[in-house]
C-alpha cells in the first residue's frame, strides 16, 4: 500500500508542470465559454451543452487548483536540499547522476533524500502518514 502512495506521488510530482499548464488552458476555455454564453443570453437561447461544458470546466479547474496547492504545500515542507533534489529528479526529470552533480551529494544520499522528500510531499497530497520501512540489521534482535 505504501509503495502505491509513493508511486502515485512521484507521478503527481512529475505532472506538476502539466497541471499548471492545464489550469491556464482551462481558465482560458472557461473565459471564452462565458463570453459566448453572454452573447447567447442576449438572444435568450440557453444551450444545455454550454452549461454542461461550463460545469465540467469549473470542476476541472477546482481539481487542478487543489492538486497544485497540495503539491506546493508538500514541496514547501521540504528543506532546501530535499526540495532541490525532488525538483531536479521528478519535475525536471534529470538522472540521479545529474542530480548528484548539481546538489553535491552522492547518488545514494540523493536517492535517500529524494525518497524522504517524495514521502513528505505524499503526506501533504494524501493527508496520511506514509511510514518508511525500517531496515533490518543482522545480528541485532530488535531495531
Amino acid at each position: 500500500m505504501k509503495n502505491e502512495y509513493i508511486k502515485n506521488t512521484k507521478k503527481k510530482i512529475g505532472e506538476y508542470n502539466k497541471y499548471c499548464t492545464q489550469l491556464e488552458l482551462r481558465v482560458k476555455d472557461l473565459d471564452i465559454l462565458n463570453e459566448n454564453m453572454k452573447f447567447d443570453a442576449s438572444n435568450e437561447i440557453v444551450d444545455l451543452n454550454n452549461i454542461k461544458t461550463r460545469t465540467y470546466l469549473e470542476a476541472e479547474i477546482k481539481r487542478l487548483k487543489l492538486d497544485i496547492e497540495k503539491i506546493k504545500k508538500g514541496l514547501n515542507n521540504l528543506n532546501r536540499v530535499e526540495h532541490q533534489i525532488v525538483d531536479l529528479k521528478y519535475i525536471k526529470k534529470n538522472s540521479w547522476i545529474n542530480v548528484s552533480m548539481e546538489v553535491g551529494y552522492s547518488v545514494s544520499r540523493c536517492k535517500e533524500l529524494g525518497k524522504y522528500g517524495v514521502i513528505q510531499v505524499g503526506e501533504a497530497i494524501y493527508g496520511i502518514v506514509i511510514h518508511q520501512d525500517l531496515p533490518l540489521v543482522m545480528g541485532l534482535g530488535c531495531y
Side-chain angles (χ1 to χ4, degrees), residues 20-134:
C20 293
T21 305
Q22 282 180 342
L23 179 63
E24 291 175 15
L25 293 174
R26 296 296 185 255
V27 168
K28 287 180 184 177
D29 290 343
L30 185 63
D31 290 341
I32 292 170
L33 185 64
N34 285 335
E35 288 296 320
N36 290 340
M37 287 180 73
K38 285 181 185 176
F39 291 123
D40 290 345
S42 65
N43 295 331
E44 296 182 8
I45 299 173
V46 178
D47 188 10
L48 189 59
N49 288 334
N50 283 344
I51 295 172
K52 287 181 181 178
T53 304
R54 182 177 180 201
T55 305
Y56 169 77
L57 286 174
E58 288 172 346
E60 184 75 11
I61 288 170
K62 185 177 179 179
R63 184 190 63 79
L64 287 170
K65 281 183 180 178
L66 186 63
D67 283 346
I68 289 170
E69 288 303 315
K70 286 180 179 179
I71 293 171
K72 278 184 183 178
K73 181 181 177 184
L75 290 174
N76 288 336
N77 289 336
L78 303 177
N79 66 32
R80 184 189 62 80
V81 175
E82 293 164 350
H83 187 282
Q84 187 177 13
I85 290 170
V86 170
D87 181 54
L88 288 170
K89 178 60 182 167
Y90 299 106
I91 295 176
K92 295 180 180 171
K93 309 225 188 288
N94 288 324
S95 68
W96 280 115
I97 301 221
N98 290 342
V99 172
S100 173
M101 300 275 288
E102 185 76 26
V103 175
Y105 289 159
S106 68
V107 173
S108 61
R109 181 68 178 149
C110 286
K111 286 181 180 182
E112 182 181 326
L113 290 174
K115 183 178 179 182
Y116 178 75
V118 168
I119 288 172
Q120 293 294 90
V121 174
E123 289 175 0
I125 291 173
Y126 298 110
I128 60 171
V129 176
I130 304 171
H131 296 285
Q132 270 186 307
D133 294 332
L134 296 174

